[in-house]
Amino acid sequence: MINDKLPKIWYGGDYNPEQWDSEVWSEDERMFKLAGIDVATINVFSWALIQPDEVTYDFSALDETMDRLYKSGVYVCLATSTGAHPAWMAKKYPDVTRVDVQGRKRTFGGRHNSCPNSPTYLKYSAKLAGKLAERYKDHPGLLIWHVSNEYGGYCYCDNCAKAFRVWLKQRYGTLDNLNRAWNTRFWGHTFYDWDEVVVPNELSEEWNGNRTNFQGISIDYRRFQSYSLLEAYKLEYEELKKHTPDIPVTTNLMGFYPELDYFEWAKYMDVVSWDNYPSLDTPVSRTAMAHDLMRGLKSGQPFMLMEQTPSQQNWQAYNSLKRPGVMRLWSYQAVARGADTVMFFQLRRSIGACEKYHGAVIEHVGHEHTRVFRECAELGRELVGLSDKLLDARTEAKVAIVYDWENRWATDLSSGPSVALNYENEAHKYYDALFKLHIEIDMISVEEDLSKYDIVIAPVMYMVKPGFAQKVEQFVSAGGTFVTTFFSGIVNENDLVTVGGYPGELRSVLGIWAEEIDALFPDQKNQMVMKAPWGKLQGQFECGLLCDLIHSEGAEVLAEYGSDFYKGMPVLTVNKFGKGHAYYVASSPEASFLEGFLSNLCEEQGVKPLMAAPEGVEVTRRVKNGMSYLFLLNHNADPATVEINSEKTDILTGKIVSGSLTVPGRGVSILEEAF
Amino acid sequence: MINDKLPKIWYGGDYNPEQWDSEVWSEDERMFKLAGIDVATINVFSWALIQPDEVTYDFSALDETMDRLYKSGVYVCLATSTGAHPAWMAKKYPDVTRVDVQGRKRTFGGRHNSCPNSPTYLKYSAKLAGKLAERYKDHPGLLIWHVSNEYGGYCYCDNCAKAFRVWLKQRYGTLDNLNRAWNTRFWGHTFYDWDEVVVPNELSEEWNGNRTNFQGISIDYRRFQSYSLLEAYKLEYEELKKHTPDIPVTTNLMGFYPELDYFEWAKYMDVVSWDNYPSLDTPVSRTAMAHDLMRGLKSGQPFMLMEQTPSQQNWQAYNSLKRPGVMRLWSYQAVARGADTVMFFQLRRSIGACEKYHGAVIEHVGHEHTRVFRECAELGRELVGLSDKLLDARTEAKVAIVYDWENRWATDLSSGPSVALNYENEAHKYYDALFKLHIEIDMISVEEDLSKYDIVIAPVMYMVKPGFAQKVEQFVSAGGTFVTTFFSGIVNENDLVTVGGYPGELRSVLGIWAEEIDALFPDQKNQMVMKAPWGKLQGQFECGLLCDLIHSEGAEVLAEYGSDFYKGMPVLTVNKFGKGHAYYVASSPEASFLEGFLSNLCEEQGVKPLMAAPEGVEVTRRVKNGMSYLFLLNHNADPATVEINSEKTDILTGKIVSGSLTVPGRGVSILEEAF
Amino acid sequence: MINDKLPKIWYGGDYNPEQWDSEVWSEDERMFKLAGIDVATINVFSWALIQPDEVTYDFSALDETMDRLYKSGVYVCLATSTGAHPAWMAKKYPDVTRVDVQGRKRTFGGRHNSCPNSPTYLKYSAKLAGKLAERYKDHPGLLIWHVSNEYGGYCYCDNCAKAFRVWLKQRYGTLDNLNRAWNTRFWGHTFYDWDEVVVPNELSEEWNGNRTNFQGISIDYRRFQSYSLLEAYKLEYEELKKHTPDIPVTTNLMGFYPELDYFEWAKYMDVVSWDNYPSLDTPVSRTAMAHDLMRGLKSGQPFMLMEQTPSQQNWQAYNSLKRPGVMRLWSYQAVARGADTVMFFQLRRSIGACEKYHGAVIEHVGHEHTRVFRECAELGRELVGLSDKLLDARTEAKVAIVYDWENRWATDLSSGPSVALNYENEAHKYYDALFKLHIEIDMISVEEDLSKYDIVIAPVMYMVKPGFAQKVEQFVSAGGTFVTTFFSGIVNENDLVTVGGYPGELRSVLGIWAEEIDALFPDQKNQMVMKAPWGKLQGQFECGLLCDLIHSEGAEVLAEYGSDFYKGMPVLTVNKFGKGHAYYVASSPEASFLEGFLSNLCEEQGVKPLMAAPEGVEVTRRVKNGMSYLFLLNHNADPATVEINSEKTDILTGKIVSGSLTVPGRGVSILEEAF
């Protein structure tokens, strides 16, 4: 349990009373009660209010808010306010603002605007965290700490350049090692002095956001900036822990956000929390995958849904309303996949600046007689009813998909073979097929223990870091099923190619050699022709994007290319390795192939779908104390019927169900039974 | 009359004899006579010639041109040359060049390149204007002053930052007021010292041209830059007026140009003038709307068509020739809508630099035997024939469309609900429907007296400034018909939302409450289903873009949404308020709806079309001294026939017409009768 | 012969042993032998290795490589390494890095990164070249010098600004001349001091890469930067020649690369070399045209194919593999069009940084058992077989297409009439038609002697430089056929319009006057209607882009426009002038017109196709010592059959062929016979 002061699914969200006059506050309290809101995230952007100048700290307003909320039954997720520095600080200490990727020194503005290597920022952010912890350590309303906000963005200033060199010295020890790791003899880049190293931005090696002359330098800079921001976070974390060792600490993450290596970050977070902002046209399985990734950051530990919008966003191009029922549906989707909180941005809608069209529990109209408020209040009541039943429940997936931020950086930055390659999309293709099969999935890091899984899928495992190939071999040897794809096993952690034949370190377990990699134009396609019917797979399937031209070195060929000069070469292989099997999918297949393929693998490994369900019905499960909770989430607008093969209790209605169960359009059932 | 020295429709345009050797000048004079040209705009870009260094002023060439032109019967529209500073000035006083929105200090180049807060620019531009006025105040050829040229562009330099802070102090008085107006508690932006305020550009709050973190700051910066440029204009204006109080002063505007609030500017212009550059694919009603806006800047006072091209442009992507007759047709379109001049850029085509492919009366071939010259000369003769008949004639519209630059800035800068919202487009939809109905229209500011109109339409009246709602209420109470649309009444002049329910201050007069605003994807549509046939409206119509989810609070529901979860909610309402009616159109309809809708409203208010006419025939009217002049402009390539219900005189042919009148393809008739 | 040390078609490519450990080297040697590789381009990016600091030069590694290669039978194309400066130099002497077009000072990174007016760069690059020449002047393996690498990019720093002013003084003598040439009275740009001139970049006159306010300034800056880089090249050239007057010197060019005027460059190159990187979707005639242009740079002298990829590129969006046979086919295409070398980038594939997915003879797998290596080795063997037979053979074209870099700059930079105008595309349209007709073509400069041709085509001859029109008149008078198109004869070398009627200086020879130029929208079309059937032309053809509205002034009208208001005006004319004919094509026609048109012209002039051949079969010819070598290049995947009308020897197979000859899909025949 995140904090047993509030032993239920927390319900609430961001709250900014400082933007309102005090007469509004009592109205807030009244409506919070109506909506069953029991947690408020406060103090997210109040640095300038709390610290109006370098020496003054004024907590009086925050004191009042803390007390007021607590008295009205609302606990606090207390932010440290360091997500945006004060204007006076930017003016007095310009080191606090960033230099952007174009090399431009920023003045003052925006948020997430502090250089993570600014001495000023590090000093005063830590100091503020410490003061907050000291002041509120005994406040009964304090539930959890929320450090800064949505960390992100890179800085390219001189302080960062200096810190980068220090980081490089620690990583590489000598310039010789660095020159080798970056292959600097290419294009005459040999460095003879650490100070010759400059930051890789548009003034040196990069352009167009993800193009670079030196992948090694650019990947290291991403590592370094992710590290720098994490170090800034950790300074605050330590200040908080000094005073409140038992209060959990988090910061809100952003799903697949590319710039930070969240697996590294999660090591220093007591609980993962994240902000979920799908659009009307985001596939529901993409959101599900993000939840599973967030759960995977700490190996299955429940997480917080820190932010979602009650209805509308403002940052999207076309900010659709969430259709009736969708907010509840997506809230339960989060819970189904590991969330122990349901929280919004925000509780009361702001009236000025860029997020004023971001929806809120309390809309601009200010009263409770809105569709949005009614839906929020209904959900609030329901969550009270669920009490602590689901808290800390776990997911028991036997199938895992490997996701790796450094691998993403490496594939994003690669010059060739195809600009169309998108690591996240390829992972999602596999995820989506499993999702449709109603198979439970874990999203895992390359550091995860594989032995708990029956099937491990590592799409586009381009960068193979030390020890990973051995781990895969042990996993397969022991009977596991491993799947990887085209453009895998190519480089090591420094983005240096493993010579001797692709897929490099994975070649042995896969039993193949990839001689060449063809890149297809968007309108070019090839085919995967099954050599023989295999379970749900027969005939041929379309594929494209990249086509590895592979040779079997012991692997059995299951399908061959159907056209072009490599017609007849293997496109799908399986290698028996020890007690297990390693599959290689040499191109990017159409969805119907993946559904059949993964269905076959699950059948082989005895991994069963949670249940049969119509299209658009998401099925997933959490387990706890010997009970299982099966979530049926009907994403269709129309009702859907499923067959329940044994009596279960719907904990939302309290009814016992069996046989045909009709879930309303956008409806949810949570079915409890012994596990 | 702009200046009674030349009591006819002025005919001429920009003339740059300084780019040519003197032998060309006499050829110019000969051809000007052939073409009936009687006004030349000169000295537009001659600052560097007149003032070759800081202390020297040399007017000898200008003296000669003034005298020469006057002797050959050509009056002068005398520009002040301050549209581009000299190179020596940029080198000696770098404060004269701008810093761009990306924060880059410019060197020397282009035009409209001076910082409006540069002490150097302000000093020397005013000085030059004063010297010109002093020198030519008694010149008989001087007809009008033309200050600078096409003012535009913003600067972000330190001088602007300082001046911005002064402007803010004047606007807000205290930092408390400023912090409140900008809602700076959002994202921790509270300012404690005026000097902490920085200019909103890509180094602080803005990106992508029209995206900003703080709408309040960015709108104020637009106000401030529009003001700064206007102040620079006013300095010159005052210098000119010191010496020539009776010579009118103008500067050439650019229609819907977004960066300057022309309603503010027009207050300081003796006569409005503007440059009209439609493309082959610009709807003729869009050009008509621009003319009406220019006429509306000074509440109906006639304006100058300062520039148009005789045939070809050079700045468009595909610079089509104006088809035969089109130059004449579009010239009369300007006159029909209030222009008392027909002027070109330019009289002789330049041979070097970026505008050498911009058409001219005298083309590169240099003689009069060109299609373009012949058309110009024919029009010249015709305008001589019209004499002063149309000068100072007025338009008597009973329907007005409200247009507001600050509202445009606010909608452009809004983050959400839809990137597809385009204020000008929405206004044009209503304009176009009225245009096709042959209804006279005024384009008016929010400051205009509404009582002279029967129908006032304010599309997307997002920002409601102080007093406007009251004015609308009075107008409707007194029997007027008011129309507004989705996304109206949302914010006040500081872009702060009016809480308590959209459409805010307009809610009472409209009798509705807009609970939510759905943004549709470009391929998403909804329908407006008429509850009952109403005049020309029955059945259903398509709508899209944004859909307000409204509730009637007394208004009658005329149409409902046809699909989605808000099917059956009102999409078209009318509220009886006092003696009048207020309509709300909750989404963006297809054209056929608007034609029927506006036709109904006109019928209800007794506003009659000027006449029936086939598609593509524009009909509009000016009145003067008890006579009316009906313009029939046939934009079709083929002849069109209209029915004339009473005898009228075509003042272009002198013939009396009645019954069936055939207007040739791209032809024009101007029919005179008693009014 | 480039260097008679190696009297055969050189075969090899870029080689970077410094990126590998020494154990790899012997493997390299073994595989080079297998592949018949006899030349290696080395030392391309080794500046930082050779000169680790300002005073130290260390040639030991290079010594070893030179010796090792020579011992194993591989000659050396020795690069000077100045294509990328060392990091220490950028740090110590920041003048060495560039300022980009946005005005941003670069730090360190990339390649082709040195300012050509940097005193540091000029000093140390020349010094390095001199040291290399001195050291290796007697090395038996030294075959040719390769200065720097793929020169390109512009700099906008203060040193360039100063040098630009010096260059301008030399070009114009006086500021009066400069002001006139740039037409600075437009937009008040008159310069009174040379120091007022600034470089034309985004801080002054330019934007969006090819938009400018002053074409004259921007064209001059392109001339100046091309000149500056050439001067830097020449410094090295002279240093090399001091020590090795008999070793040829080259630098690798890039086909139609826009930034450098290669005709100027070729004057200072002993032999032209270039890098050929077509994509899968590049028309083969486009590649052919590039080869012909490279051959034309030195008036037909054979050139070096310095770089091509054995299979895959990495810089393209979708890096397709070269299909089997294509590498050989495209190698012979180069040879067929004048190449005396076949060289790759690169011999061994690098493992790190941005070009690691660029193909190589030795792939990452490292052994010879790859498709790519096998194809390379087969070609290597074949080239050994060809010995010196084709070396120095020439092409005997009677048809020439004029190509001019300055004209390209002028059309690219033109503001109006159409953004869709692309000089290279228009030239390619004519080239492609001749290519399909199997007519030999020379790509020539405006300085070329025209008298050797029967037909000279100058598409979009927009800028007519001094003497060119006279040359055309002499050529036509003497019986030649001259063809030019719309938008020709417009400006002089300063981009100043020639007044008095388009096409200016070409008007007399063409016998027409172009009164206006219409620009068509992309979906707009007109028609060319033949007045009478003429050879292969009859009926009508589509045209678009630009339409000149022309009048005959003596020329015969062959076709008229088919629609729009200029229907019936001439669109194709021929003027008899002396003994010859001058054609004007007033719009941009569809391909079928050009095939018929050029076929007619060839027939009239007695220029015969090399032979009849099916679509997709390229036919071209080189001649030497009274023998002709007919190349049949089958670009189709399927075999193609041609009729051989007299016995010839296929020098690749040694067989005598006549009658029906089937060339395999992607196959090549080289047929020898007496000429």
Side-chain angles (χ1 to χ4, degrees), chain A residues 18-20 45 48-49 51-52 84-88 91 102 104-111 279-281 311-312 314-324 349-357 363-367 369-372 374, chain B residues 102 182-183 185-192 195-196 198-199 202-205 207 211-215 414-420 462 487 490-491 495-497 499-502 507 513 515-522 524 549 564-566:
Chain A
E18 69 279 6
Q19 293 178 21
W20 299 88
F45 287 111
L49 288 181
Q51 192 184 0
H85 52 247
W88 64 258
K91 181 167 187 311
Q102 295 189 50
R104 303 181 301 190
K105 176 67 176 170
R106 296 186 61 80
T107 56
F108 172 73
R111 57 171 176 173
S279 162
L280 182 68
D281 58 357
S311 176
Q312 201 163 23
N314 70 289
W315 293 109
Q316 298 164 355
Y318 309 100
N319 296 278
S320 314
L321 300 172
K322 283 187 181 168
R323 273 46 199 157
R349 204 162 177 171
S350 66
I351 63 163
C354 61
E355 291 189 338
K356 62 182 173 293
Y357 299 118
E363 301 249 35
H364 285 142
V365 70
H367 59 54
H369 307 296
T370 66
R371 176 183 75 93
V372 168
R374 278 189 300 271
Chain B
Q102 294 188 52
W182 288 355
N183 197 34
R185 294 195 168 188
F186 177 78
W187 287 6
H189 266 51
T190 305
F191 296 105
Y192 294 102
D195 285 348
E196 291 164 18
V198 298
V199 297
E202 291 189 18
L203 305 183
S204 54
E205 305 291 5
W207 68 101
R211 307 304 308 272
T212 182
N213 293 315
F214 278 79
Q215 281 68 26
S414 178
S415 174
S418 172
V419 295
Y462 169 70
F487 209 45
I490 309 287
V491 298
D495 203 63
L496 295 176
V497 171
V499 294
Y502 316 137
R507 189 169 167 192
W513 165 44
E515 183 181 342
E516 302 182 66
I517 307 171
D518 197 21
L520 274 59
F521 281 70
Q524 255 184 305
L549 276 56
D564 217 322
F565 76 91
Y566 40 91

Side-chain angles (χ1 to χ4, degrees), chain C residues 276-460:
Chain C
N276 180 34
Y277 289 109
S279 163
L280 182 68
D281 58 356
T282 306
V284 288
S285 66
R286 197 102 183 191
T287 308
M289 179 178 166
H291 285 308
D292 287 358
L293 180 65
M294 294 298 100
R295 189 183 70 240
L297 293 183
K298 289 189 84 72
S299 298
Q301 182 183 309
F303 59 88
M304 296 175 67
L305 177 62
M306 182 65 92
E307 294 183 17
Q308 66 173 346
T309 176
S311 176
Q312 201 163 23
Q313 242 276 1
N314 70 288
W315 293 110
Q316 298 164 356
Y318 309 100
N319 296 277
S320 313
L321 300 172
K322 284 187 180 169
R323 272 48 198 157
V326 168
M327 183 277 293
R328 174 177 176 262
L329 177 68
W330 289 2
S331 297
Y332 280 116
Q333 185 185 36
V335 172
R337 297 195 168 271
D340 277 3
T341 73
V342 172
M343 293 165 68
F344 298 108
F345 183 87
Q346 55 183 336
L347 298 186
R348 184 179 277 275
R349 202 162 177 169
S350 66
I351 62 164
C354 60
E355 291 188 339
K356 62 181 173 295
Y357 299 117
H358 194 297
V361 174
I362 306 174
E363 300 249 34
H364 284 142
V365 70
H367 59 54
E368 65 268 37
H369 306 295
T370 66
R371 176 182 75 93
V372 167
F373 188 88
R374 279 190 300 272
E375 293 197 26
C376 289
E378 282 162 24
L379 179 58
R381 278 190 291 279
E382 223 168 39
L383 295 180
V384 169
L386 288 176
S387 183
D388 66 349
K389 196 178 273 279
L390 293 167
L391 291 191
D392 216 28
R394 303 299 166 120
T395 299
E396 302 273 346
K398 304 309 289 176
V399 181
I401 293 178
V402 177
Y403 190 88
D404 183 43
W405 262 268
E406 298 190 352
N407 190 33
R408 176 185 176 147
W409 295 335
T411 51
D412 278 358
L413 292 166
S414 178
S415 174
S418 172
V419 296
L421 176 61
N422 178 310
Y423 175 57
E424 190 185 325
N425 279 355
E426 294 306 310
H428 178 252
K429 280 183 155 196
Y430 285 81
Y431 186 97
D432 185 59
L434 291 163
F435 177 91
K436 284 178 178 149
L437 293 168
H438 312 303
I439 303 287
E440 290 164 289
I441 312 153
D442 277 352
M443 298 292 299
I444 64 171
S445 79
V446 293
E447 293 179 357
E448 192 62 72
D449 171 20
L450 305 182
S451 68
K452 50 184 164 174
Y453 299 105
D454 294 326
I455 301 173
V456 170
I457 305 167
V460 194

Side-chain angles (χ1 to χ4, degrees), chain A residues 507 510-515 531 549-558 568-575:
Chain A
R507 189 169 167 192
L510 291 161
I512 56 147
W513 165 45
E515 183 181 341
K531 295 191 70 172
L549 275 55
I550 61 175
H551 304 273
S552 168
E553 296 182 327
E556 181 189 352
V557 178
L558 301 176
M569 287 186 79
V571 63
L572 177 67
T573 60
V574 57
N575 193 43

Side-chain angles (χ1 to χ4, degrees), chain C residues 229-243:
Chain C
L229 284 160
L230 178 54
E231 287 297 298
Y233 163 84
K234 281 159 69 179
L235 272 186
E236 292 195 45
Y237 182 93
E238 283 151 21
E239 287 295 323
L240 298 172
K241 285 295 182 187
K242 263 187 220 163
H243 301 283

Side-chain angles (χ1 to χ4, degrees), chain C residues 550-571:
Chain C
I550 60 176
H551 304 273
S552 168
E553 297 183 326
E556 181 188 352
V557 178
L558 301 176
E560 299 172 343
Y561 284 108
S563 57
D564 217 321
F565 76 92
Y566 40 92
K567 177 177 176 174
M569 286 186 80
V571 64

